[in-house]
Protein backbone atom coordinates (compact mmCIF):
# COMPACT_ATOMS: atom_id res chain seq x y z
CA UNK A 1 0.00 0.00 0.00
CA UNK A 2 1.46 3.32 -1.08
CA UNK A 3 1.15 5.90 1.69
CA UNK A 4 0.42 9.48 0.76
CA UNK A 5 0.47 12.63 2.84
CA UNK A 6 -2.77 14.59 3.05
CA UNK A 7 -3.10 17.13 0.26
CA UNK A 8 -5.32 20.17 0.74
CA UNK A 9 -8.62 19.92 -1.11
CA UNK A 10 -9.72 23.01 -3.02
CA UNK A 11 -13.45 23.08 -2.36
CA UNK A 12 -13.92 25.82 -4.94
CA UNK A 13 -12.86 23.53 -7.78
CA UNK A 14 -14.25 20.28 -6.36
CA UNK A 15 -17.06 18.12 -7.69
CA UNK A 16 -19.31 17.41 -4.71
CA UNK A 17 -21.95 14.67 -4.74
CA UNK A 18 -24.61 14.83 -2.02
CA UNK A 19 -27.03 11.97 -1.42
CA UNK A 20 -30.26 13.10 0.19
CA UNK A 21 -29.49 16.44 -1.40
CA UNK A 22 -33.04 17.59 -2.11
CA UNK A 23 -33.90 18.69 1.45
CA UNK A 24 -32.71 19.04 5.01
CA UNK A 25 -29.04 18.71 5.90
CA UNK A 26 -28.07 17.59 2.40
CA UNK A 27 -29.64 20.58 0.67
CA UNK A 28 -28.27 23.05 3.24
CA UNK A 29 -24.76 21.64 2.78
CA UNK A 30 -25.12 21.74 -1.00
CA UNK A 31 -26.07 25.43 -0.77
CA UNK A 32 -22.97 26.28 1.26
CA UNK A 33 -20.67 24.40 -1.07
CA UNK A 34 -22.28 26.00 -4.12
CA UNK A 35 -21.59 29.40 -2.57
CA UNK A 36 -17.95 28.32 -2.23
CA UNK A 37 -17.83 27.68 -5.98
CA UNK A 38 -18.02 23.88 -5.94
CA UNK A 39 -19.67 21.91 -8.73
CA UNK A 40 -22.53 20.29 -6.84
CA UNK A 41 -24.47 17.19 -7.88
CA UNK A 42 -27.54 15.94 -6.03
CA UNK A 43 -29.03 12.48 -5.58
CA UNK A 44 -32.40 11.86 -3.95
CA UNK A 45 -35.39 9.57 -4.32
CA UNK A 46 -38.20 12.13 -4.66
CA UNK A 47 -38.13 13.67 -8.14
CA UNK A 48 -40.21 16.77 -7.43
CA UNK A 49 -38.07 18.12 -4.60
CA UNK A 50 -34.91 16.99 -6.37
CA UNK A 51 -35.78 18.94 -9.50
CA UNK A 52 -36.57 22.04 -7.43
CA UNK A 53 -33.26 21.78 -5.56
CA UNK A 54 -31.31 21.22 -8.76
CA UNK A 55 -32.91 24.25 -10.36
CA UNK A 56 -32.23 26.43 -7.29
CA UNK A 57 -28.55 25.53 -7.17
CA UNK A 58 -27.95 25.02 -10.89
CA UNK A 59 -26.82 21.56 -9.82
CA UNK A 60 -26.76 18.33 -11.74
CA UNK A 61 -29.29 15.89 -10.31
CA UNK A 62 -30.26 12.24 -10.56
CA UNK A 63 -33.14 10.40 -8.92
CA UNK A 64 -32.05 7.16 -7.27
CA UNK A 65 -32.84 5.07 -4.22
CA UNK A 66 -29.61 4.80 -2.21
CA UNK A 67 -30.67 1.33 -1.05
CA UNK A 68 -30.45 0.15 -4.68
CA UNK A 69 -26.73 -0.32 -5.30
CA UNK A 70 -27.00 -0.63 -9.08
CA UNK A 71 -29.18 2.48 -9.40
CA UNK A 72 -27.00 4.53 -7.04
CA UNK A 73 -23.75 3.48 -8.72
CA UNK A 74 -25.22 4.32 -12.12
CA UNK A 75 -26.42 7.74 -10.91
CA UNK A 76 -22.97 8.61 -9.54
CA UNK A 77 -21.29 7.54 -12.78
CA UNK A 78 -23.73 9.64 -14.82
CA UNK A 79 -23.13 12.70 -12.63
CA UNK A 80 -19.36 12.33 -12.96
CA UNK A 81 -19.76 12.11 -16.72
CA UNK A 82 -22.12 15.10 -16.87
CA UNK A 83 -19.80 17.22 -14.76
CA UNK A 84 -16.77 15.87 -16.63
CA UNK A 85 -15.07 15.45 -13.28
CA UNK A 86 -14.84 12.58 -10.81
CA UNK A 87 -16.31 12.95 -7.36
CA UNK A 88 -13.89 14.86 -5.12
CA UNK A 89 -16.20 15.18 -2.10
CA UNK A 90 -18.99 12.77 -1.17
CA UNK A 91 -21.57 13.62 1.48
CA UNK A 92 -24.03 10.85 2.35
CA UNK A 93 -27.01 12.57 3.90
CA UNK A 94 -29.81 10.31 2.68
CA UNK A 95 -31.49 8.53 5.55
CA UNK A 96 -34.68 7.44 7.27
CA UNK A 97 -35.71 7.48 10.91
CA UNK A 98 -38.66 5.43 12.12
CA UNK A 99 -38.97 5.42 15.92
CA UNK A 100 -41.33 3.15 17.77
CA UNK A 101 -41.61 0.52 20.48
CA UNK A 102 -39.34 -2.48 19.91
CA UNK A 103 -42.18 -4.93 20.56
CA UNK A 104 -44.45 -3.17 18.06
CA UNK A 105 -42.14 -2.35 15.14
CA UNK A 106 -42.44 -4.63 12.12
CA UNK A 107 -39.38 -6.56 10.98
CA UNK A 108 -39.50 -4.60 7.72
CA UNK A 109 -38.74 -1.36 9.59
CA UNK A 110 -35.49 -2.77 11.01
CA UNK A 111 -34.52 -3.99 7.55
CA UNK A 112 -35.35 -0.66 5.87
CA UNK A 113 -33.28 1.35 8.35
CA UNK A 114 -30.23 -0.80 7.64
CA UNK A 115 -30.80 -0.78 3.88
CA UNK A 116 -31.21 3.00 3.61
CA UNK A 117 -29.06 4.39 6.43
CA UNK A 118 -26.20 1.89 6.40
CA UNK A 119 -26.13 0.29 2.96
CA UNK A 120 -27.09 3.60 1.35
CA UNK A 121 -23.89 5.00 2.84
CA UNK A 122 -21.79 1.95 2.01
CA UNK A 123 -22.88 1.77 -1.63
CA UNK A 124 -22.03 5.43 -2.23
CA UNK A 125 -18.57 4.99 -0.71
CA UNK A 126 -17.94 1.88 -2.78
CA UNK A 127 -18.70 3.86 -5.93
CA UNK A 128 -16.33 6.80 -5.33
CA UNK A 129 -13.56 5.71 -2.96
CA UNK A 130 -11.52 3.62 -5.46
CA UNK A 131 -11.08 6.69 -7.68
CA UNK A 132 -10.15 8.87 -4.72
CA UNK A 133 -7.52 6.38 -3.61
CA UNK A 134 -6.12 6.21 -7.14
CA UNK A 135 -5.85 10.02 -7.27
CA UNK A 136 -4.56 10.22 -3.70
CA UNK A 137 -7.09 12.84 -2.58
CA UNK A 138 -10.73 13.33 -1.76
CA UNK A 139 -13.18 13.57 1.11
CA UNK A 140 -16.04 11.30 2.21
CA UNK A 141 -18.41 12.47 4.94
CA UNK A 142 -21.28 10.36 6.27
CA UNK A 143 -24.16 11.68 8.36
CA UNK A 144 -24.73 9.43 11.38
CA UNK A 145 -26.70 10.72 14.39
CA UNK A 146 -26.54 11.37 18.10
CA UNK A 147 -28.45 8.07 18.18
CA UNK A 148 -25.28 6.54 16.73
CA UNK A 149 -23.41 7.50 19.90
CA UNK A 150 -25.77 6.14 22.57
CA UNK A 151 -28.80 3.86 22.59
CA UNK A 152 -32.04 5.80 23.00
CA UNK A 153 -35.53 4.60 23.92
CA UNK A 154 -37.64 4.17 20.78
CA UNK A 155 -34.73 3.99 18.33
CA UNK A 156 -34.14 0.23 18.31
CA UNK A 157 -34.40 0.20 14.49
CA UNK A 158 -32.80 3.54 13.65
CA UNK A 159 -30.01 3.63 16.25
CA UNK A 160 -28.25 0.40 15.22
CA UNK A 161 -28.19 1.56 11.58
CA UNK A 162 -26.50 4.80 12.63
CA UNK A 163 -24.11 2.90 14.91
CA UNK A 164 -23.23 0.86 11.82
CA UNK A 165 -22.49 4.04 9.86
CA UNK A 166 -20.19 5.14 12.67
CA UNK A 167 -18.39 1.78 12.69
CA UNK A 168 -18.00 1.82 8.92
CA UNK A 169 -16.46 5.28 8.92
CA UNK A 170 -14.13 4.48 11.82
CA UNK A 171 -12.85 1.45 9.91
CA UNK A 172 -12.41 3.13 6.54
CA UNK A 173 -10.78 6.16 8.19
CA UNK A 174 -7.97 3.92 9.33
CA UNK A 175 -7.53 2.61 5.78
CA UNK A 176 -8.07 5.75 3.75
CA UNK A 177 -6.25 8.43 5.73
CA UNK A 178 -2.81 7.03 4.78
CA UNK A 179 -3.99 7.08 1.15
CA UNK A 180 -4.68 10.82 1.25
CA UNK A 181 -8.48 10.60 1.56
CA UNK A 182 -10.25 12.52 4.33
CA UNK A 183 -12.99 10.62 6.18
CA UNK A 184 -15.57 12.30 8.40
CA UNK A 185 -18.70 11.28 10.27
CA UNK A 186 -21.37 13.69 11.51
CA UNK A 187 -23.37 13.25 14.72
CA UNK A 188 -26.30 15.70 14.66
CA UNK A 189 -29.01 15.72 17.32
CA UNK A 190 -32.58 16.50 16.25
CA UNK A 191 -32.52 18.84 13.24
CA UNK A 192 -35.46 20.91 12.00
CA UNK A 193 -36.03 19.15 8.67
CA UNK A 194 -38.90 17.43 6.82
CA UNK A 195 -37.44 14.14 8.04
CA UNK A 196 -37.88 15.21 11.68
CA UNK A 197 -41.48 16.20 11.02
CA UNK A 198 -42.14 12.73 9.59
CA UNK A 199 -40.27 11.07 12.45
CA UNK A 200 -42.25 12.95 15.10
CA UNK A 201 -45.46 11.31 13.91
CA UNK A 202 -44.16 7.98 15.20
CA UNK A 203 -42.15 9.07 18.24
CA UNK A 204 -43.22 7.43 21.55
CA UNK A 205 -43.89 9.71 24.50
CA UNK A 206 -40.91 8.19 26.29
CA UNK A 207 -38.61 9.14 23.42
CA UNK A 208 -39.85 12.73 23.63
CA UNK A 209 -39.25 12.72 27.38
CA UNK A 210 -35.70 11.39 27.00
CA UNK A 211 -34.99 14.13 24.46
CA UNK A 212 -36.23 16.76 26.90
CA UNK A 213 -36.99 20.24 25.66
CA UNK A 214 -33.86 20.71 23.56
CA UNK A 215 -34.65 22.84 20.54
CA UNK A 216 -33.76 21.15 17.24
CA UNK A 217 -30.78 22.58 15.37
CA UNK A 218 -31.23 24.21 12.00
CA UNK A 219 -30.04 22.32 8.94
CA UNK A 220 -27.83 25.33 8.17
CA UNK A 221 -25.93 24.95 11.46
CA UNK A 222 -25.22 21.29 10.74
CA UNK A 223 -24.19 22.14 7.18
CA UNK A 224 -21.73 24.74 8.45
CA UNK A 225 -20.18 22.13 10.76
CA UNK A 226 -19.84 19.71 7.84
CA UNK A 227 -18.11 22.24 5.59
CA UNK A 228 -15.75 23.24 8.41
CA UNK A 229 -15.05 19.56 9.03
CA UNK A 230 -14.09 19.10 5.38
CA UNK A 231 -11.87 22.20 5.42
CA UNK A 232 -10.09 21.03 8.58
CA UNK A 233 -10.13 17.32 7.71
CA UNK A 234 -11.90 16.39 10.93
CA UNK A 235 -13.10 12.87 11.53
CA UNK A 236 -15.68 13.46 14.26
CA UNK A 237 -17.99 16.33 13.25
CA UNK A 238 -20.36 17.51 15.99
CA UNK A 239 -22.52 20.57 15.32
CA UNK A 240 -23.31 21.34 18.98
CA UNK A 241 -21.78 21.08 22.44
CA UNK A 242 -24.12 18.30 23.57
CA UNK A 243 -23.13 15.80 20.89
CA UNK A 244 -19.50 16.94 21.18
CA UNK A 245 -19.53 15.97 24.87
CA UNK A 246 -21.33 12.72 24.07
CA UNK A 247 -18.78 11.81 21.39
CA UNK A 248 -15.88 12.54 23.71
CA UNK A 249 -17.14 11.30 27.07
CA UNK A 250 -20.05 9.01 26.16
CA UNK A 251 -18.61 5.84 27.71
CA UNK A 252 -17.97 7.66 30.98
CA UNK A 253 -21.32 9.47 31.01
CA UNK A 254 -23.41 6.47 29.95
CA UNK A 255 -24.29 5.19 33.48
CA UNK A 256 -25.43 8.67 34.50
CA UNK A 257 -27.32 9.22 31.27
CA UNK A 258 -29.06 5.85 31.48
CA UNK A 259 -30.10 6.58 35.05
CA UNK A 260 -31.60 9.92 33.99
CA UNK A 261 -33.25 8.40 30.91
CA UNK A 262 -34.79 5.64 33.06
CA UNK A 263 -36.15 8.27 35.47
CA UNK A 264 -37.85 10.11 32.62
CA UNK A 265 -39.32 6.91 31.19
CA UNK A 266 -40.74 5.95 34.62
CA UNK A 267 -42.35 9.38 34.90
CA UNK A 268 -44.20 8.76 31.63
CA UNK A 269 -45.39 5.36 32.91
CA UNK A 270 -46.64 6.92 36.16
CA UNK A 271 -48.47 9.65 34.26
CA UNK A 272 -50.12 7.05 32.03
CA UNK A 273 -51.38 5.13 35.10
CA UNK A 274 -52.89 8.29 36.58
CA UNK A 275 -54.63 9.21 33.33
Amino acid sequence: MALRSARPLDVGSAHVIVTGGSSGIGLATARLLTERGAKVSLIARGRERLEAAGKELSAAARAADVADQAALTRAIAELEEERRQPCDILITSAGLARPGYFLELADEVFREMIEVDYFGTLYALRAVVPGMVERGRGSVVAVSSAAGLIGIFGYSAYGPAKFAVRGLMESVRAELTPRGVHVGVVFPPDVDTPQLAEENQWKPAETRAVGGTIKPLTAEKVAAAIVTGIDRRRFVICPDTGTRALARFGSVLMPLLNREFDRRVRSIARAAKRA
Side-chain angles (χ1 to χ4, degrees):
M1 179 180 73
L3 302 183
R4 291 167 174 160
S5 59
R7 295 165 56 191
L9 192 63
D10 179 9
V11 171
S13 63
H15 177 202
V16 182
I17 295 180
V18 184
T19 70
S22 65
S23 66
I25 294 170
L27 179 56
T29 307
R31 285 194 183 110
L32 282 184
L33 291 167
T34 298
E35 291 171 3
R36 290 275 297 273
K39 297 177 182 178
V40 173
S41 297
L42 309 175
I43 296 174
R45 187 165 51 178
R47 289 184 180 276
E48 187 174 339
R49 287 196 303 193
L50 179 62
E51 289 174 1
K55 185 176 180 180
E56 175 197 339
L57 301 179
S58 298
R62 289 292 186 281
D65 183 345
V66 296
D68 183 335
Q69 185 174 16
L72 179 59
T73 301
R74 183 169 57 251
I76 289 173
E78 289 175 356
L79 291 168
E80 290 180 319
E81 183 177 354
E82 180 176 341
R83 287 296 197 179
R84 297 182 180 179
Q85 186 172 341
C87 177
D88 300 298
I89 299 173
L90 171 71
I91 299 167
T92 62
S93 183
L96 286 178
R98 174 66 161 82
Y101 296 103
F102 175 75
L103 296 177
E104 297 177 5
L105 287 170
D107 289 345
E108 289 74 18
V109 174
F110 290 85
R111 187 174 297 108
E112 185 178 30
M113 296 300 99
I114 289 293
E115 288 176 347
V116 174
D117 295 338
Y118 174 69
F119 279 109
T121 298
L122 174 66
Y123 294 154
L125 263 67
R126 298 281 282 180
V128 305
V129 163
M132 291 181 178
V133 168
E134 184 178 345
R135 296 187 298 276
R137 64 199 304 266
S139 178
V140 290
V141 177
V143 177
S144 179
S145 168
L149 292 169
I150 186 171
I152 299 174
F153 188 112
Y155 284 123
S156 57
Y158 174 70
K162 290 301 190 179
F163 266 90
V165 170
R166 172 187 172 186
L168 171 66
M169 301 310 280
E170 287 183 356
S171 297
V172 298
R173 185 212 64 80
E175 291 191 39
L176 299 182
T177 299
R179 312 293 286 270
V181 179
H182 162 249
V183 175
V185 59
V186 192
F187 298 104
D190 281 349
V191 182
D192 187 10
T193 65
Q195 172 60 51
L196 181 62
E198 168 67 20
E199 178 184 336
N200 283 339
Q201 298 180 42
W202 304 96
K203 194 173 286 184
E206 293 89 343
T207 307
R208 296 178 186 276
V210 166
T213 58
I214 300 173
K215 184 178 179 180
L217 298 184
T218 64
E220 289 72 22
K221 182 167 183 178
V222 179
I226 291 172
V227 174
T228 299
I230 293 170
D231 285 337
R232 300 181 181 177
R233 300 181 72 87
R234 288 176 177 162
F235 173 64
V236 174
I237 301 173
C238 295
D240 70 325
T241 55
T243 50
R244 197 173 300 120
L246 197 57
R248 184 171 296 182
F249 305 112
S251 59
V252 176
L253 295 174
M254 191 173 294
L256 296 174
L257 291 171
N258 283 339
R259 191 154 44 241
E260 174 59 19
F261 292 162
D262 290 347
R263 184 192 67 78
R264 295 184 186 187
V265 169
R266 285 194 299 270
S267 71
I268 294 295
R270 287 194 295 268
K273 288 182 179 179
R274 290 195 297 267

